[in-house]
Amino acid sequence: MAFGRSSRRKRPVDPVTLKILVAGGFGVGKTTLVGAVSEIRPLRTEERLSEAGRPVDDVAGVEAKTTTTVAMDFGRITLREDLVLYLFGTPGQDRFWFLWDELAQGALGAVVLADTRRLEDCFAAVDYFERRRIPFVVAVNCFEGADLFPVTTVRAALDLDPEVPVLMCDARDRSSARDVLVTVVEHAVDRVGRPREPATT
């Protein structure tokens, strides 16, 4: 019996799933970015900011912020039929950093979101991924009213290695956020082919 084109069925593709972290300082837009690109309803662990937490949580520059992530954000995006990203947004405050080691296990790479009004807030995330040899990109979230600086200025201010990608983005915009994630995957895959130095503690 002859089989024509119409009788042929494509075999289902088992997608490769990759874990990506979205990190950065308090109020930088991590929850927003995960929510903008996720094709499922994002899992969020947000709580309202309390007066008791005001002395601990520095809201300078993000005074309108009323909630904060206390564990993680989780979302999923299919980049291609054979490639799915699981996104894990990390909490930004110092007191929740003990969760980062758990979230980082098995991660292919990371996004460090930066706000030029509070650029120093992303130093800890940059240092974390550098020490653990986890490939990362820096994405400057372009808030309305914030000063815009050239990529070279941001790179110098954060003292980044030349191979670390730096790009501008709008965490609210799905297309912009997706471009950031594509850059992370490409950078991480490129790094996989290079010899890796032992991680430092």
Side-chain angles (χ1 to χ4, degrees), residues 145-186:
D147 292 332
L148 296 180
F149 297 96
V151 166
T152 52
T153 302
V154 175
R155 182 183 300 281
L158 295 177
D159 193 25
L160 298 173
D161 291 336
E163 69 270 13
V164 175
V166 179
L167 58 160
M168 304 295 167
C169 77
D170 181 344
R172 303 166 300 178
D173 182 75
R174 178 180 174 83
S175 177
S176 181
R178 186 182 184 279
D179 288 344
V180 171
L181 297 175
V182 169
T183 303
V184 177
V185 173
E186 291 175 345

Side-chain angles (χ1 to χ4, degrees), residues 68-158:
T68 184
T69 299
V70 296
M72 68 171 186
D73 298 310
F74 174 77
R76 185 187 71 198
I77 177 174
T78 301
L79 289 185
R80 297 192 314 249
E81 181 183 8
D82 59 346
L83 180 59
V84 174
L85 302 186
Y86 289 140
L87 309 176
F88 291 80
T90 66
Q93 301 99 310
D94 300 14
R95 65 184 186 276
F96 296 123
W97 283 352
F98 68 92
L99 294 169
W100 284 36
D101 287 341
E102 291 292 329
L103 292 175
Q105 289 187 16
L108 174 77
V111 177
V112 175
L113 271 180
D115 179 352
T116 57
R117 299 169 300 180
R118 298 157 54 104
L119 199 57
E120 67 280 1
D121 287 2
C122 68
F123 287 168
V126 168
D127 183 60
Y128 182 90
F129 296 125
E130 284 182 342
R131 285 188 285 114
R132 285 160 181 78
R133 309 295 296 170
I134 297 175
F136 68 96
V137 306
V138 172
V140 178
N141 192 7
C142 299
F143 287 91
E144 290 182 18
D147 292 332
L148 296 180
F149 297 96
V151 166
T152 52
T153 302
V154 175
R155 182 183 300 281
L158 295 177

Side-chain angles (χ1 to χ4, degrees), residues 22-63:
V22 180
F26 175 64
V28 78
K30 301 179 294 294
T31 299
T32 300
L33 185 142
V34 172
V37 297
S38 181
E39 62 199 18
I40 62 172
R41 184 176 181 179
L43 168 65
R44 293 174 174 164
T45 57
E46 287 197 308
E47 296 292 340
R48 292 191 64 83
L49 291 172
S50 65
E51 286 302 317
R54 291 284 173 180
V56 181
D57 298 324
D58 180 12
V59 295
V62 286
E63 290 83 0

